[in-house]
Amino acid sequence: AFPFPIETKTLPNGLRVYVVGYDSPGLVAYYSIVRTGSRNEVEPGKSGFAHFFEHMMFRGTPRYSQEAYNDVIKSMGADSNAFTSNDLTVYHILAGKAGLPKIVDIEGDRFQNLAYSEPDFQKEARAVLGEYNKSASNPMQRMWEALYDAAFTTHTYKHTTIGFLKDIEDMPNQFAYSKTFFDRWYRPDNVVLLVVGDVRGDDVFPLVEQHYAGWKPFAGKRPAIAAEPPQKKERRIALGWKGATLPQLLIGFHAPAFSTTNVDVAALDVLAALLGSQRSRLYRKLVLEEQKVDSLMAANEHYVDPNLFMMHARLKKADDLRYVESAFADEVARIAAEGVPAKTLAEELAHVK
């Protein structure tokens, strides 16, 4: 199904490299994928560190200070950024192909030789707290936190990617633990390099071997992640909000982990489109015809471990909350009982693909 050629190589230290060439003359994208997200934050009181290292990885090394790293990126006219999710942390650079040797140099250096002082660590920890406080001004952030806290009793999906507030507030005191976290997860056996664009394996593999071959895999045993037990009854939370806001409804159902063989995953992807797209019956009913809702969505995001199938609506009146919740349930029951017209299903399948 994937239309582009893929070249792969695994170094003796466990680092996997994928090269995907396609017609993008003179351009290359370089992704460093750390297979660690908030899911891997298993120690009590230590949530938020995967996201925290998304910040810290730009702090520099003995060879390339933070300023020197930024100067290299600017001199190439490149774009560099990163993001963190439940399951992984991704660092990415988009640049001209001529800059590839320098990119492999600076990325290999910072993944192996990241250096930061305790004052730098504490400064960045306070910046993360500021980011949390900014996000907390949106009631949706509070809803996500409450939903996941209620839906998970054991698994680390219980906390959102940014972490529990109490852990973020304590983060400036966790300098020693930050070294443990980095040593445990930022290792070649837990990282994947993905290089995409106007490149071939012959352009990439020798450079990676030159700059990453000396990187040592993790010698210890990484902590296991506890499985979430089945939920036996509904859990419901009502949240207030001090400021002015429209009422919102957020519903989560436990759903299977991502799989290329479990058909339920694909079926839930299609169900999300049938419930939440702007062409869905539910959208026409609640948003266009009755105008009780001004925003509606359903989503089946893909995760390493079982997570949640989501439905969300922003209402115009709080009195309609029960009505909208019932409308969600009725539409799911209707689809289960009646099925979907072949034409509609084909259209949604084409969109989901």
mmCIF file of all heavy atoms in Angstrom, residues 315-353:
data_model
loop_
_atom_site.group_PDB
_atom_site.id
_atom_site.type_symbol
_atom_site.label_atom_id
_atom_site.label_comp_id
_atom_site.label_asym_id
_atom_site.label_seq_id
_atom_site.Cartn_x
_atom_site.Cartn_y
_atom_site.Cartn_z
ATOM 1 N N LEU A 315 -21.716 22.772 23.306
ATOM 2 C CA LEU A 315 -23.131 23.107 23.224
ATOM 3 C C LEU A 315 -23.359 24.596 23.420
ATOM 4 O O LEU A 315 -22.507 25.314 23.955
ATOM 5 C CB LEU A 315 -23.920 22.338 24.287
ATOM 6 C CG LEU A 315 -24.063 20.834 24.129
ATOM 7 C CD1 LEU A 315 -22.770 20.089 24.422
ATOM 8 C CD2 LEU A 315 -25.170 20.315 25.057
ATOM 9 N N LYS A 316 -24.525 25.023 23.034
ATOM 10 C CA LYS A 316 -24.906 26.421 23.233
ATOM 11 C C LYS A 316 -25.611 26.632 24.572
ATOM 12 O O LYS A 316 -25.550 27.726 25.143
ATOM 13 C CB LYS A 316 -25.798 26.884 22.082
ATOM 14 C CG LYS A 316 -25.078 26.839 20.734
ATOM 15 C CD LYS A 316 -25.957 27.329 19.597
ATOM 16 C CE LYS A 316 -25.204 27.293 18.282
ATOM 17 N NZ LYS A 316 -26.027 27.766 17.147
ATOM 18 N N LYS A 317 -26.277 25.563 25.076
ATOM 19 C CA LYS A 317 -26.999 25.670 26.345
ATOM 20 C C LYS A 317 -26.727 24.438 27.200
ATOM 21 O O LYS A 317 -26.786 23.302 26.709
ATOM 22 C CB LYS A 317 -28.507 25.794 26.101
ATOM 23 C CG LYS A 317 -28.922 27.052 25.350
ATOM 24 C CD LYS A 317 -30.429 27.074 25.155
ATOM 25 C CE LYS A 317 -30.875 28.322 24.398
ATOM 26 N NZ LYS A 317 -32.347 28.335 24.181
ATOM 27 N N ALA A 318 -26.473 24.657 28.481
ATOM 28 C CA ALA A 318 -26.207 23.546 29.393
ATOM 29 C C ALA A 318 -27.424 22.632 29.547
ATOM 30 O O ALA A 318 -27.265 21.430 29.806
ATOM 31 C CB ALA A 318 -25.783 24.085 30.752
ATOM 32 N N ASP A 319 -28.607 23.174 29.349
ATOM 33 C CA ASP A 319 -29.817 22.363 29.496
ATOM 34 C C ASP A 319 -29.888 21.236 28.470
ATOM 35 O O ASP A 319 -30.652 20.276 28.648
ATOM 36 C CB ASP A 319 -31.064 23.246 29.354
ATOM 37 C CG ASP A 319 -31.246 24.203 30.525
ATOM 38 O OD1 ASP A 319 -30.590 23.971 31.565
ATOM 39 O OD2 ASP A 319 -32.014 25.173 30.389
ATOM 40 N N ASP A 320 -29.109 21.337 27.404
ATOM 41 C CA ASP A 320 -29.163 20.335 26.337
ATOM 42 C C ASP A 320 -28.120 19.231 26.499
ATOM 43 O O ASP A 320 -27.999 18.371 25.613
ATOM 44 C CB ASP A 320 -28.960 21.011 24.972
ATOM 45 C CG ASP A 320 -30.143 21.881 24.570
ATOM 46 O OD1 ASP A 320 -31.280 21.520 24.927
ATOM 47 O OD2 ASP A 320 -29.927 22.908 23.911
ATOM 48 N N LEU A 321 -27.375 19.223 27.596
ATOM 49 C CA LEU A 321 -26.314 18.232 27.752
ATOM 50 C C LEU A 321 -26.849 16.800 27.687
ATOM 51 O O LEU A 321 -26.302 15.955 26.968
ATOM 52 C CB LEU A 321 -25.579 18.461 29.083
ATOM 53 C CG LEU A 321 -24.473 19.517 29.067
ATOM 54 C CD1 LEU A 321 -24.058 19.872 30.489
ATOM 55 C CD2 LEU A 321 -23.269 19.023 28.275
ATOM 56 N N ARG A 322 -27.880 16.510 28.440
ATOM 57 C CA ARG A 322 -28.438 15.156 28.439
ATOM 58 C C ARG A 322 -28.990 14.789 27.065
ATOM 59 O O ARG A 322 -28.868 13.650 26.603
ATOM 60 C CB ARG A 322 -29.542 15.047 29.490
ATOM 61 C CG ARG A 322 -29.028 15.049 30.922
ATOM 62 C CD ARG A 322 -28.304 13.758 31.252
ATOM 63 N NE ARG A 322 -27.938 13.683 32.658
ATOM 64 C CZ ARG A 322 -27.302 12.669 33.210
ATOM 65 N NH1 ARG A 322 -26.954 11.638 32.464
ATOM 66 N NH2 ARG A 322 -26.983 12.676 34.491
ATOM 67 N N TYR A 323 -29.610 15.751 26.390
ATOM 68 C CA TYR A 323 -30.170 15.492 25.064
ATOM 69 C C TYR A 323 -29.066 15.124 24.080
ATOM 70 O O TYR A 323 -29.193 14.165 23.305
ATOM 71 C CB TYR A 323 -30.929 16.727 24.574
ATOM 72 C CG TYR A 323 -31.467 16.586 23.167
ATOM 73 C CD1 TYR A 323 -32.680 15.956 22.939
ATOM 74 C CD2 TYR A 323 -30.745 17.071 22.077
ATOM 75 C CE1 TYR A 323 -33.174 15.805 21.646
ATOM 76 C CE2 TYR A 323 -31.232 16.931 20.788
ATOM 77 C CZ TYR A 323 -32.437 16.297 20.577
ATOM 78 O OH TYR A 323 -32.907 16.152 19.306
ATOM 79 N N VAL A 324 -27.967 15.871 24.101
ATOM 80 C CA VAL A 324 -26.868 15.615 23.169
ATOM 81 C C VAL A 324 -26.196 14.287 23.488
ATOM 82 O O VAL A 324 -25.846 13.521 22.586
ATOM 83 C CB VAL A 324 -25.859 16.779 23.203
ATOM 84 C CG1 VAL A 324 -24.613 16.444 22.395
ATOM 85 C CG2 VAL A 324 -26.504 18.050 22.671
ATOM 86 N N GLU A 325 -26.032 13.993 24.767
ATOM 87 C CA GLU A 325 -25.451 12.700 25.140
ATOM 88 C C GLU A 325 -26.323 11.554 24.623
ATOM 89 O O GLU A 325 -25.812 10.554 24.089
ATOM 90 C CB GLU A 325 -25.318 12.619 26.657
ATOM 91 C CG GLU A 325 -24.683 11.322 27.133
ATOM 92 C CD GLU A 325 -24.594 11.232 28.643
ATOM 93 O OE1 GLU A 325 -24.888 12.238 29.323
ATOM 94 O OE2 GLU A 325 -24.230 10.146 29.147
ATOM 95 N N SER A 326 -27.627 11.694 24.758
ATOM 96 C CA SER A 326 -28.541 10.668 24.255
ATOM 97 C C SER A 326 -28.476 10.557 22.737
ATOM 98 O O SER A 326 -28.564 9.457 22.182
ATOM 99 C CB SER A 326 -29.975 10.967 24.684
ATOM 100 O OG SER A 326 -30.098 10.902 26.089
ATOM 101 N N ALA A 327 -28.297 11.688 22.070
ATOM 102 C CA ALA A 327 -28.193 11.674 20.608
ATOM 103 C C ALA A 327 -26.962 10.901 20.161
ATOM 104 O O ALA A 327 -27.007 10.146 19.173
ATOM 105 C CB ALA A 327 -28.150 13.103 20.076
ATOM 106 N N PHE A 328 -25.856 11.066 20.872
ATOM 107 C CA PHE A 328 -24.655 10.276 20.577
ATOM 108 C C PHE A 328 -24.966 8.781 20.705
ATOM 109 O O PHE A 328 -24.682 7.983 19.805
ATOM 110 C CB PHE A 328 -23.533 10.638 21.555
ATOM 111 C CG PHE A 328 -22.623 11.745 21.097
ATOM 112 C CD1 PHE A 328 -22.338 12.810 21.935
ATOM 113 C CD2 PHE A 328 -22.038 11.726 19.838
ATOM 114 C CE1 PHE A 328 -21.489 13.826 21.539
ATOM 115 C CE2 PHE A 328 -21.187 12.734 19.427
ATOM 116 C CZ PHE A 328 -20.916 13.794 20.276
ATOM 117 N N ALA A 329 -25.542 8.404 21.858
ATOM 118 C CA ALA A 329 -25.821 6.992 22.117
ATOM 119 C C ALA A 329 -26.807 6.422 21.107
ATOM 120 O O ALA A 329 -26.643 5.292 20.621
ATOM 121 C CB ALA A 329 -26.368 6.828 23.538
ATOM 122 N N ASP A 330 -27.833 7.198 20.761
ATOM 123 C CA ASP A 330 -28.841 6.733 19.804
ATOM 124 C C ASP A 330 -28.234 6.512 18.425
ATOM 125 O O ASP A 330 -28.595 5.548 17.724
ATOM 126 C CB ASP A 330 -29.984 7.742 19.707
ATOM 127 C CG ASP A 330 -30.819 7.811 20.969
ATOM 128 O OD1 ASP A 330 -30.684 6.906 21.823
ATOM 129 O OD2 ASP A 330 -31.580 8.789 21.124
ATOM 130 N N GLU A 331 -27.323 7.392 18.016
ATOM 131 C CA GLU A 331 -26.731 7.250 16.686
ATOM 132 C C GLU A 331 -25.816 6.036 16.626
ATOM 133 O O GLU A 331 -25.789 5.313 15.628
ATOM 134 C CB GLU A 331 -25.967 8.524 16.306
ATOM 135 C CG GLU A 331 -25.332 8.504 14.927
ATOM 136 C CD GLU A 331 -26.340 8.376 13.784
ATOM 137 O OE1 GLU A 331 -27.573 8.395 14.037
ATOM 138 O OE2 GLU A 331 -25.892 8.257 12.631
ATOM 139 N N VAL A 332 -25.062 5.789 17.695
ATOM 140 C CA VAL A 332 -24.230 4.582 17.737
ATOM 141 C C VAL A 332 -25.108 3.335 17.662
ATOM 142 O O VAL A 332 -24.814 2.383 16.915
ATOM 143 C CB VAL A 332 -23.367 4.558 19.020
ATOM 144 C CG1 VAL A 332 -22.658 3.212 19.164
ATOM 145 C CG2 VAL A 332 -22.339 5.677 18.999
ATOM 146 N N ALA A 333 -26.201 3.325 18.427
ATOM 147 C CA ALA A 333 -27.119 2.177 18.419
ATOM 148 C C ALA A 333 -27.764 2.004 17.053
ATOM 149 O O ALA A 333 -27.945 0.873 16.572
ATOM 150 C CB ALA A 333 -28.183 2.365 19.496
ATOM 151 N N ARG A 334 -28.111 3.115 16.398
ATOM 152 C CA ARG A 334 -28.734 3.033 15.070
ATOM 153 C C ARG A 334 -27.774 2.428 14.051
ATOM 154 O O ARG A 334 -28.170 1.557 13.257
ATOM 155 C CB ARG A 334 -29.163 4.432 14.605
ATOM 156 C CG ARG A 334 -29.965 4.429 13.306
ATOM 157 C CD ARG A 334 -30.033 5.800 12.670
ATOM 158 N NE ARG A 334 -28.716 6.245 12.211
ATOM 159 C CZ ARG A 334 -28.155 5.837 11.075
ATOM 160 N NH1 ARG A 334 -28.778 4.960 10.295
ATOM 161 N NH2 ARG A 334 -26.967 6.281 10.724
ATOM 162 N N ILE A 335 -26.511 2.873 14.071
ATOM 163 C CA ILE A 335 -25.526 2.332 13.129
ATOM 164 C C ILE A 335 -25.310 0.845 13.380
ATOM 165 O O ILE A 335 -25.210 0.043 12.446
ATOM 166 C CB ILE A 335 -24.198 3.112 13.255
ATOM 167 C CG1 ILE A 335 -24.377 4.543 12.742
ATOM 168 C CG2 ILE A 335 -23.079 2.415 12.482
ATOM 169 C CD1 ILE A 335 -23.191 5.442 12.984
ATOM 170 N N ALA A 336 -25.277 0.455 14.665
ATOM 171 C CA ALA A 336 -25.083 -0.955 14.997
ATOM 172 C C ALA A 336 -26.259 -1.798 14.506
ATOM 173 O O ALA A 336 -26.079 -2.930 14.043
ATOM 174 C CB ALA A 336 -24.908 -1.112 16.503
ATOM 175 N N ALA A 337 -27.471 -1.264 14.610
ATOM 176 C CA ALA A 337 -28.670 -2.031 14.250
ATOM 177 C C ALA A 337 -28.936 -2.027 12.749
ATOM 178 O O ALA A 337 -29.294 -3.055 12.169
ATOM 179 C CB ALA A 337 -29.882 -1.464 14.993
ATOM 180 N N GLU A 338 -28.761 -0.863 12.111
ATOM 181 C CA GLU A 338 -29.157 -0.717 10.704
ATOM 182 C C GLU A 338 -27.999 -0.850 9.721
ATOM 183 O O GLU A 338 -28.215 -1.086 8.531
ATOM 184 C CB GLU A 338 -29.819 0.653 10.496
ATOM 185 C CG GLU A 338 -31.066 0.872 11.340
ATOM 186 C CD GLU A 338 -31.625 2.274 11.147
ATOM 187 O OE1 GLU A 338 -31.127 3.002 10.258
ATOM 188 O OE2 GLU A 338 -32.551 2.635 11.899
ATOM 189 N N GLY A 339 -26.776 -0.664 10.210
ATOM 190 C CA GLY A 339 -25.656 -0.635 9.291
ATOM 191 C C GLY A 339 -25.574 0.708 8.591
ATOM 192 O O GLY A 339 -26.218 1.683 8.983
ATOM 193 N N VAL A 340 -24.777 0.769 7.526
ATOM 194 C CA VAL A 340 -24.530 2.005 6.789
ATOM 195 C C VAL A 340 -24.759 1.759 5.308
ATOM 196 O O VAL A 340 -24.327 0.728 4.784
ATOM 197 C CB VAL A 340 -23.078 2.492 7.025
ATOM 198 C CG1 VAL A 340 -22.813 3.798 6.296
ATOM 199 C CG2 VAL A 340 -22.806 2.648 8.516
ATOM 200 N N PRO A 341 -25.444 2.656 4.608
ATOM 201 C CA PRO A 341 -25.615 2.486 3.160
ATOM 202 C C PRO A 341 -24.276 2.295 2.454
ATOM 203 O O PRO A 341 -23.273 2.914 2.824
ATOM 204 C CB PRO A 341 -26.294 3.781 2.727
ATOM 205 C CG PRO A 341 -26.994 4.272 3.954
ATOM 206 C CD PRO A 341 -26.120 3.864 5.107
ATOM 207 N N ALA A 342 -24.259 1.452 1.447
ATOM 208 C CA ALA A 342 -23.010 1.105 0.760
ATOM 209 C C ALA A 342 -22.298 2.341 0.219
ATOM 210 O O ALA A 342 -21.073 2.452 0.302
ATOM 211 C CB ALA A 342 -23.296 0.111 -0.363
ATOM 212 N N LYS A 343 -23.056 3.276 -0.332
ATOM 213 C CA LYS A 343 -22.450 4.476 -0.907
ATOM 214 C C LYS A 343 -21.774 5.312 0.187
ATOM 215 O O LYS A 343 -20.640 5.776 0.024
ATOM 216 C CB LYS A 343 -23.509 5.307 -1.620
ATOM 217 C CG LYS A 343 -22.981 6.576 -2.277
ATOM 218 C CD LYS A 343 -24.090 7.266 -3.077
ATOM 219 C CE LYS A 343 -23.554 8.521 -3.780
ATOM 220 N NZ LYS A 343 -23.126 9.549 -2.818
ATOM 221 N N THR A 344 -22.486 5.498 1.300
ATOM 222 C CA THR A 344 -21.916 6.268 2.415
ATOM 223 C C THR A 344 -20.670 5.603 2.962
ATOM 224 O O THR A 344 -19.654 6.256 3.232
ATOM 225 C CB THR A 344 -22.964 6.417 3.530
ATOM 226 O OG1 THR A 344 -24.114 7.078 3.023
ATOM 227 C CG2 THR A 344 -22.388 7.216 4.704
ATOM 228 N N LEU A 345 -20.735 4.273 3.124
ATOM 229 C CA LEU A 345 -19.589 3.542 3.655
ATOM 230 C C LEU A 345 -18.388 3.667 2.727
ATOM 231 O O LEU A 345 -17.252 3.877 3.176
ATOM 232 C CB LEU A 345 -19.955 2.076 3.858
ATOM 233 C CG LEU A 345 -18.858 1.189 4.463
ATOM 234 C CD1 LEU A 345 -18.446 1.704 5.832
ATOM 235 C CD2 LEU A 345 -19.336 -0.251 4.549
ATOM 236 N N ALA A 346 -18.623 3.547 1.418
ATOM 237 C CA ALA A 346 -17.528 3.653 0.455
ATOM 238 C C ALA A 346 -16.893 5.038 0.507
ATOM 239 O O ALA A 346 -15.662 5.175 0.436
ATOM 240 C CB ALA A 346 -18.040 3.359 -0.951
ATOM 241 N N GLU A 347 -17.727 6.056 0.640
ATOM 242 C CA GLU A 347 -17.198 7.417 0.712
ATOM 243 C C GLU A 347 -16.368 7.640 1.974
ATOM 244 O O GLU A 347 -15.293 8.256 1.936
ATOM 245 C CB GLU A 347 -18.355 8.419 0.647
ATOM 246 C CG GLU A 347 -19.038 8.462 -0.708
ATOM 247 C CD GLU A 347 -20.323 9.287 -0.697
ATOM 248 O OE1 GLU A 347 -20.804 9.609 0.412
ATOM 249 O OE2 GLU A 347 -20.847 9.585 -1.787
ATOM 250 N N GLU A 348 -16.850 7.140 3.103
ATOM 251 C CA GLU A 348 -16.111 7.303 4.350
ATOM 252 C C GLU A 348 -14.822 6.484 4.346
ATOM 253 O O GLU A 348 -13.787 6.919 4.852
ATOM 254 C CB GLU A 348 -16.979 6.931 5.552
ATOM 255 C CG GLU A 348 -18.170 7.857 5.773
ATOM 256 C CD GLU A 348 -17.765 9.291 6.078
ATOM 257 O OE1 GLU A 348 -16.558 9.579 6.220
ATOM 258 O OE2 GLU A 348 -18.671 10.134 6.169
ATOM 259 N N LEU A 349 -14.877 5.279 3.767
ATOM 260 C CA LEU A 349 -13.670 4.468 3.658
ATOM 261 C C LEU A 349 -12.608 5.165 2.827
ATOM 262 O O LEU A 349 -11.425 5.166 3.183
ATOM 263 C CB LEU A 349 -14.005 3.104 3.033
ATOM 264 C CG LEU A 349 -14.638 2.060 3.958
ATOM 265 C CD1 LEU A 349 -15.110 0.863 3.156
ATOM 266 C CD2 LEU A 349 -13.635 1.626 5.016
ATOM 267 N N ALA A 350 -13.024 5.792 1.737
ATOM 268 C CA ALA A 350 -12.075 6.509 0.898
ATOM 269 C C ALA A 350 -11.449 7.667 1.657
ATOM 270 O O ALA A 350 -10.261 7.967 1.505
ATOM 271 C CB ALA A 350 -12.773 7.015 -0.368
ATOM 272 N N HIS A 351 -12.252 8.313 2.492
ATOM 273 C CA HIS A 351 -11.745 9.442 3.272
ATOM 274 C C HIS A 351 -10.807 8.977 4.366
ATOM 275 O O HIS A 351 -9.734 9.551 4.583
ATOM 276 C CB HIS A 351 -12.912 10.224 3.875
ATOM 277 C CG HIS A 351 -12.484 11.344 4.769
ATOM 278 N ND1 HIS A 351 -11.913 12.491 4.279
ATOM 279 C CD2 HIS A 351 -12.518 11.477 6.115
ATOM 280 C CE1 HIS A 351 -11.620 13.305 5.290
ATOM 281 N NE2 HIS A 351 -11.984 12.708 6.423
ATOM 282 N N VAL A 352 -11.167 7.895 5.079
ATOM 283 C CA VAL A 352 -10.354 7.395 6.181
ATOM 284 C C VAL A 352 -9.007 6.897 5.674
ATOM 285 O O VAL A 352 -7.967 7.087 6.293
ATOM 286 C CB VAL A 352 -11.103 6.282 6.945
ATOM 287 C CG1 VAL A 352 -10.167 5.560 7.921
ATOM 288 C CG2 VAL A 352 -12.295 6.872 7.694
ATOM 289 N N LYS A 353 -9.002 6.246 4.512
ATOM 290 C CA LYS A 353 -7.757 5.738 3.945
ATOM 291 C C LYS A 353 -6.760 6.867 3.703
ATOM 292 O O LYS A 353 -5.577 6.692 3.783
ATOM 293 C CB LYS A 353 -8.028 4.989 2.646
ATOM 294 C CG LYS A 353 -8.742 3.630 2.844
ATOM 295 C CD LYS A 353 -9.017 2.991 1.507
ATOM 296 C CE LYS A 353 -9.775 1.682 1.649
ATOM 297 N NZ LYS A 353 -10.095 1.063 0.345
#
